Amino acid sequence: MKNILEIRNISKTFGTHTVLADVSMDVRAGEIHALCGENGAGKSTLMNVTAGIIKRDCGDIIFDGKKVDFGSAREAVTAGIAFVHQELALCQHLSVAENMWMWDIPRHMGIIDQRELYRKTDEILKDFNADFSADSKVYTLSVAQQQIAEIAKALSLNAKLIILDEPTSSLTGEETDNLFRLCRKLREQGIGIIYISHRMDEIFSLCDRVSVLRDGYMILTDNIVDTDEKTVITSMVGREISAFYPPKASGNPGEELLRVEHFTGRGFNDISFSLRKGRILGFAGLIGAGRSELMQAIVGLGGYKSGELYVRGEKMHCFSIIPDSLPLLMQLYSSS
């Protein structure tokens, strides 16, 4: 199986900080290759160098058998590299179809061919079982739907290599299954995929090989069938992890510091919970589930429609971030 991408001895520094140090990696055509590492390990920088977004200091990139030196992201896209970033990069007031074919809008006699534009888009969306259409405006879509549109956009480029950066961060289980099915289909078509993720279950169920970056150095490259989660995680952090889940706090919880009752606002509805001294309360959910909006409302960064908020038993009234919410922030901080 030939290599679609070869990265040879790439280095990159920002000022005095070395982000990539003599990094080498290859991706085969028809392979899903996982790229792992802690935050700050250099994954995004390496992919930005590969996709022509950042200039490397030294080293070589060989794509589809030819040495390349992309001067821009457009040059990389034209050559056949599609980068789906974790941060959505869609034009909100354009349609899904217009976003998808922005690089190459179909035209007839110099005029945009709307029928062909929507037909080609719906054909790709069908593979995702998408519940929105080609003419949907992006701003009307949920975050998860926009993520699907972003990935579908990469497929419209006829890419030979697709880079997926944390692609399931805002997808449901069913949407993730559809993405995996499509990735396997692309693999069968000979397309190379670089799959960036922290989720070990995804990596070991989907990918063929895995590479690990740590502090700008390439630490490990191995076949998935020849390694295990413990080895990959140890390579990422640089030490053996003896306990993935440290023991919970023992003893009775302390006094109640914060209580939220029936909080309702934009993005969240009828939320109630309490937080006690000496306890860590976690909030889980997909992007767009309302976690950030809820927390912003609690500390005064965003409003809420109804509900009650208590700090150390004292009821707080509607407040703004300055100055009314400062006592809440100071009380919670001093109690930690």
Side-chain angles (χ1 to χ4, degrees):
M1 189 181 297
K2 73 169 185 176
N3 290 333
I4 191 64
L5 174 70
E6 297 178 35
I7 296 170
R8 294 288 175 258
N9 310 111
I10 295 292
S11 294
K12 179 65 183 178
T13 59
F14 293 107
T16 59
H17 181 56
T18 299
V19 183
L20 298 173
D22 198 32
V23 173
S24 295
M25 173 184 176
D26 62 74
V27 180
R28 299 162 185 161
E31 173 189 47
I32 303 175
H33 194 127
L35 180 59
C36 300
E38 292 187 292
N39 292 336
K43 304 186 302 296
S44 294
T45 301
L46 181 62
M47 293 300 98
N48 283 330
V49 167
T50 302
I53 299 169
I54 296 176
K55 296 293 289 183
R56 60 190 181 276
D57 294 338
C58 62
D60 296 318
I61 296 176
I62 301 168
F63 179 67
D64 200 19
K66 300 177 182 177
K67 187 179 291 188
V68 295
D69 186 17
F70 300 129
S72 66
R74 186 178 185 87
E75 288 184 15
V77 168
T78 302
I81 297 178
F83 193 169
V84 180
H85 297 266
Q86 185 175 6
E87 298 80 15
L88 300 176
L90 297 170
C91 297
Q92 295 291 310
H93 289 278
L94 295 180
S95 69
V96 172
E98 290 165 334
N99 271 277
M100 189 175 297
W101 299 98
M102 193 174 293
W103 297 96
D104 186 23
I105 293 283
R107 299 178 184 275
H108 179 67
M109 299 181 64
I111 301 174
I112 294 177
D113 189 339
Q114 297 283 351
R115 178 178 296 180
E116 179 67 5
L117 177 67
Y118 293 140
R119 184 196 66 77
K120 292 169 66 176
T121 304
D122 280 329
E123 190 174 289
I124 293 176
L125 293 178
K126 189 183 300 182
D127 280 330
F128 281 92
N129 295 327
D131 57 353
F132 57 92
S133 61
D135 60 352
S136 300
K137 298 295 184 183
V138 169
Y139 71 85
T140 66
L141 306 181
S142 68
V143 175
Q145 289 172 323
Q146 291 187 40
Q147 180 78 8
I148 292 172
E150 187 78 84
I151 295 170
K153 178 181 174 181
L155 301 182
S156 72
L157 303 173
N158 293 320
K160 300 174 185 177
L161 174 72
I162 299 177
I163 303 169
L164 300 177
D165 189 358
E166 300 285 355
T168 62
S169 59
S170 58
L171 300 185
T172 65
E174 182 178 353
E175 290 164 344
T176 297
D177 290 341
N178 285 334
L179 172 64
F180 285 7
R181 178 179 54 80
L182 188 56
C183 284
R184 294 183 179 107
K185 180 179 178 180
L186 295 172
R187 176 173 58 190
E188 293 172 0
Q189 295 172 357
I191 295 174
I193 298 174
I194 298 177
Y195 191 90
I196 303 174
S197 180
H198 292 91
R199 300 178 178 180
M200 292 295 114
D201 57 333
E202 294 182 2
I203 289 169
F204 279 83
S205 65
L206 178 67
C207 300
D208 303 297
R209 286 194 296 163
V210 58
S211 291
V212 177
L213 277 171
R214 186 175 76 236
D215 298 329
Y217 291 86
M218 186 62 74
I219 303 299
L220 168 76
T221 295
D222 208 347
N223 296 317
I224 286 292
V225 295
D226 296 328
T227 188
D228 53 38
E229 292 188 16
K230 184 177 180 180
T231 300
V232 172
I233 294 172
T234 299
S235 299
M236 288 171 58
V237 301
R239 65 187 187 281
E240 186 170 342
I241 304 297
S242 57
F244 289 103
Y245 302 100
K248 299 292 191 297
S250 59
N252 296 323
E255 65 175 309
E256 184 181 74
L257 301 176
L258 174 69
R259 184 167 81 255
V260 173
E261 294 183 350
H262 308 295
F263 236 46
T264 296
R266 184 174 182 179
F268 56 94
N269 182 64
D270 196 26
I271 305 297
S272 299
F273 65 89
S274 65
L275 174 66
R276 292 184 173 274
K277 188 173 183 178
R279 289 293 183 262
I280 299 173
L281 177 62
F283 280 78
L286 297 173
I287 294 175
R291 299 165 303 170
S292 298
E293 292 82 355
L294 172 62
M295 297 304 152
Q296 288 167 356
I298 290 172
V299 300
L301 287 171
Y304 61 95
K305 298 176 182 177
S306 61
E308 296 179 343
L309 181 72
Y310 298 85
V311 176
R312 293 183 182 274
E314 180 181 349
K315 185 176 180 179
M316 303 287 290
H317 297 285
C318 294
F319 52 81
S320 59
I321 186 62
I322 297 176
D324 299 330
S325 67
L326 292 181
L328 168 61
L329 299 175
M330 293 301 294
Q331 286 189 53
L332 292 178
Y333 180 75
S334 63
S335 300
S336 61

